[in-house]
């Protein structure tokens, strides 16, 4: 990204960010984020995943002093585009969930439309995966999230977690599950999880308030 002629408005990391939640890993990542921000001028939004330690994540990447008990939900603005990041981590579990409090908070925020619409970002996908083990640890009760965003200005939901790219729908809203930078999973093997060498990320453009997502290997 830094070497390309493109200059993104923002960079979003949907987790996981540290394989074992090690504070040293977050320190290494913070250095890379600072370098990328300096090179591109783009702010970086970090979302925890199920491998992350929420307290260490907050201290090292966000400068917070919380004990990690509360979800880390964030709102970021890029001009008139609003990005709402939801922390779907359920401590002690690989699967994800959004609490009633988070959904109520989201409903309140979406009651006021953004000039250029809203993107909702979450670690655990609200759609399934062809890999059975990943399908079992997706977002719990995605229909709850669908009910909150239905009829709002949300134009796209993005997620991580699976290490393979997927596109689907959550109600009437498109969903994009991004690929991973560390390694990729094999979506043609359904009965077990197979990791493969390779990495990719996603470029997301908003064209006339409509999302255009491009896979970048």
């Amino acid at each position: 990204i830094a070497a390309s002629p493109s200059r993104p408005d923002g960079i979003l990391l949907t987790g996981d960010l540290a394989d074992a939640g090690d504070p040293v890993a977050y320190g290494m990542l913070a250095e890379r984020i600072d370098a990328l921000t300096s090179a591109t001028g783009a702010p970086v939004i970090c979302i925890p995943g199920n491998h992350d330690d929420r307290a260490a994540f907050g201290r090292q990447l966000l400068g917070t002093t919380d004990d990690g008990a509360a979800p880390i939900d964030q709102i970021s603005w890029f001009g008139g585009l609003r990005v709402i990041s939801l922390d779907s981590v359920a401590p002690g579990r690989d699967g994800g969930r959004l609490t009633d409090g988070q959904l109520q908070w989201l409903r309140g925020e979406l009651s006021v439309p953004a000039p250029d619409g809203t993107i909702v970002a979450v670690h655990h996908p609200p759609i399934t995966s062809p890999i059975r083990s990943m399908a079992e640890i997706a977002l719990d009760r995605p229909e709850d999230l669908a009910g909150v965003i239905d009829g709002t200005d949300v134009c796209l939901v993005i997620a991580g977690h699976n290490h393979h790219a997927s596109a689907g729908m959550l109600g009437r809203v498109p969903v994009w599950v991004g690929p991973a930078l560390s390694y990729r999973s094999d979506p043609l093997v359904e009965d077990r999880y197979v990791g493969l060498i390779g990495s990719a990320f996603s470029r997301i453009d908003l064209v006339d308030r409509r999302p255009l997502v491009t896979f970048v290997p």
Side-chain angles (χ1 to χ4, degrees), residues 2 11 13 17 24-40 42 44 61:
I11 296 169
L13 306 178
L17 300 185
V24 174
Y26 294 120
M28 295 169 62
L29 178 59
E31 293 178 358
R32 289 165 168 79
I33 288 174
D34 288 344
L36 185 58
T37 298
S38 296
T40 64
V44 177
L61 299 179

Side-chain angles (χ1 to χ4, degrees), residues 39-110:
T40 64
V44 177
I45 305 168
C46 298
I47 301 174
N50 52 291
H51 282 257
D52 288 303
D53 179 278
R54 191 183 277 160
F57 173 99
R59 285 194 303 269
Q60 297 278 3
L61 299 179
L62 304 179
T64 63
T65 57
D66 296 340
D67 61 4
I72 300 173
D73 299 325
Q74 307 166 73
I75 298 179
S76 307
W77 289 88
F78 303 100
L81 174 67
R82 174 173 55 188
V83 177
I84 299 180
S85 308
L86 298 173
D87 180 350
S88 60
V89 173
R93 297 178 51 202
D94 286 326
R97 71 179 177 210
L98 298 174
T99 67
D100 291 341
Q102 287 178 286
L103 293 170
Q104 184 177 1
W105 173 79
L106 178 62
R107 190 186 305 275
E109 295 297 330
L110 294 177

Side-chain angles (χ1 to χ4, degrees), residues 14-20 48-52 94 122-125 127-131 133-135 137-138 158-167 176-189 192-202 215-217:
T14 55
D16 303 297
L17 300 185
D19 183 56
N50 52 291
H51 282 257
D52 288 303
D94 286 326
V122 62
H123 174 66
H124 294 85
I127 58 175
T128 192
S129 167
I131 303 172
S133 60
M134 296 309 297
I137 57 172
I158 59 176
H161 192 48
N162 288 347
H163 287 249
H164 66 77
S166 293
W176 173 254
V177 182
L181 289 169
S182 53
Y183 67 90
R184 61 192 179 96
S185 60
D186 188 346
L188 296 182
V189 181
R192 66 188 188 280
Y193 189 89
V194 177
L196 302 173
I197 294 173
S199 63
F201 61 94
S202 308
F215 181 91
V216 185

Side-chain angles (χ1 to χ4, degrees), residues 126-217:
I127 58 175
T128 192
S129 167
I131 303 172
R132 295 192 188 103
S133 60
M134 296 309 297
E136 292 170 355
I137 57 172
L139 184 70
D140 284 351
R141 297 186 59 83
E143 64 273 14
D144 292 346
L145 177 59
V148 172
I149 67 176
D150 183 52
T152 69
D153 69 345
V154 175
C155 61
L156 180 67
V157 175
I158 59 176
H161 192 48
N162 288 347
H163 287 249
H164 66 77
S166 293
M169 299 291 293
L170 183 63
R172 294 180 287 182
V173 179
V175 176
W176 173 254
V177 182
L181 289 169
S182 53
Y183 67 90
R184 61 192 179 96
S185 60
D186 188 346
L188 296 182
V189 181
E190 300 174 2
D191 61 351
R192 66 188 188 280
Y193 189 89
V194 177
L196 302 173
I197 294 173
S199 63
F201 61 94
S202 308
R203 171 178 174 152
I204 300 175
D205 293 275
L206 221 59
V207 182
D208 297 328
R209 292 173 59 97
R210 297 178 179 178
L212 172 66
V213 184
T214 306
F215 181 91
V216 185

